[in-house]
Amino acid sequence: MTRIALDPFVTDLDAESAALRAAGPLAEVELPGGVHCYAVTHHAEARALLTDSRVVKDINVWNAWQRGEIPPDWPLIGLANPGRSMLTVDGEDHRRLRTLVAQALTVRRVERLREGIEALTRAGLDRLAALPADRPVDLKAEFAYPLPMNVISELMGVDAADHPRLKELFEKFFSTQTPPSEVPRMMADLGALFTKIVDGKRAEPGDDLTSALIAASENGDHLTDEEIVNTLQLIIAAGHETTISLVVNVVAALQTHPEQRERVLNGEIPWQGVIEETLRWNTPTSHVLIRFATEDVEVGDRVLPKGEALIVSFGALGRDERQYGPTAGAFDAARSPNRHIAFGHGPHICPGAALSRLEAGIALPALYERFPDLDLAVAADDLRNKPIVTQNDLYELPVRLGCPAGHDRTDDA
């Protein structure tokens, strides 16, 4: 089996994903830093492995970890070994930790956040409208980032004053280019920041999920301080990164497919169809780290060996022709059915999926309603991914907003 080295600079994610699919349902890969593992790259096999009890999240199962081959300053150590939370446990412990979060993020409860998300969206669009009309705008920084960060922070009770530091630390946390010498300090700083937030909520509880986790622990649900801190960190990280990329990727897809954009804006194709197709075709999460085989596991005509690590390559399996047919590589906002698994599958499916869909479903139509002439300010080929092997994340999305709806274009003459 030929080993495929994942590009730490993510210079051509589409080509890399195609190579992974071509390698078969189970590809042998090398992560940045020279760490060997396997990747599941086809849809059907990924669904099966995501519900296979022989593939677990306990890092102690990993042969390379037991042999001491994974250094503590590996740039991806925070993703491979992020501490005890629902991301790193299975079985009863996973159900215990996940239940409290899932109860707060049911579709019905998330829907109650609609009014607040709409208000934050309007405020964000007002800020865009106040920017100089003759200059390109980085839509990612000015709109796609603030909205989900504000939403998840309000849900978790994180003060806006902490946002700049969180942004700085998460940039280092996800990047493959963080110098090894900075990794231990970055991890310690993240832990200290979230510990401070939890301690503050313990002293002054509020109407937020962090306070609810603390209260549940004190009422007998047996969450340790470590589990609360790590759960908060996990939700904040996942709760904004995915939605940022989703909003950015939808805009990029529509602007490079003008005929489909027109059908969306005239109501022929629903926004939900655009969102689901973007989740499949240009998924926000390119690879999810990391699971471990407790015994040899057959994957198609291959074998995932006992004690080896597995990543799920969502960027590859989202365009699997075996699942989506010969048009799998094409963006089709009207695609139906569209049974992708961009948010995972089985007991570990992302509990924030409904929230991400709601935010995108509010923000995107509102953006185009306010700025119907929005267009890219650079060629599509000039858009570049950040060096993050787990996230499909652009550096920026430069756009020209055009005249806001209702604005008399002759006023600028």
Side-chain angles (χ1 to χ4, degrees), residues 202-257:
R202 183 171 278 115
E204 296 184 27
D207 184 18
D208 54 75
L209 184 51
T210 303
S211 298
L213 291 172
I214 295 168
S217 177
E218 295 171 349
N219 292 334
D221 281 340
H222 308 300
L223 276 77
T224 66
D225 287 350
E226 179 192 12
E227 290 170 341
I228 295 171
V229 169
N230 291 339
T231 297
L232 173 60
Q233 178 173 324
L234 167 63
I235 294 174
I236 293 292
H240 78 283
E241 285 288 342
T242 298
T243 307
I244 293 168
S245 295
L246 175 56
V247 170
V248 166
N249 292 349
V250 167
V251 173
L254 288 180
Q255 297 312 125
T256 51
H257 296 81

Side-chain angles (χ1 to χ4, degrees), residues 144 148 174 235-249 279 282-285 342-343 350 352-353 356-357 359-360 390-393:
F174 285 107
I235 294 174
I236 293 292
H240 78 283
E241 285 288 342
T242 298
T243 307
I244 293 168
S245 295
L246 175 56
V247 170
V248 166
N249 292 349
L279 286 166
N282 200 19
T283 177
T285 305
F343 285 111
C350 176
S356 185
R357 285 182 166 110
E359 290 178 70
T390 56
Q391 303 297 124
N392 184 8
D393 189 14

Side-chain angles (χ1 to χ4, degrees), residues 299-361:
V299 183
D301 59 352
R302 308 275 173 82
V303 173
L304 173 64
K306 177 181 178 180
E308 292 300 315
L310 175 77
I311 65 173
V312 183
S313 293
F314 287 101
L317 60 91
R319 300 189 188 185
D320 182 3
E321 291 188 358
R322 297 159 190 78
Q323 171 68 14
Y324 304 105
T327 64
F331 177 78
D332 179 6
R335 186 180 301 274
S336 181
N338 192 351
R339 299 188 181 95
H340 64 78
I341 55 172
F343 285 111
H345 176 67
H348 296 282
I349 193 170
C350 176
L355 179 58
S356 185
R357 285 182 166 110
L358 179 63
E359 290 178 70

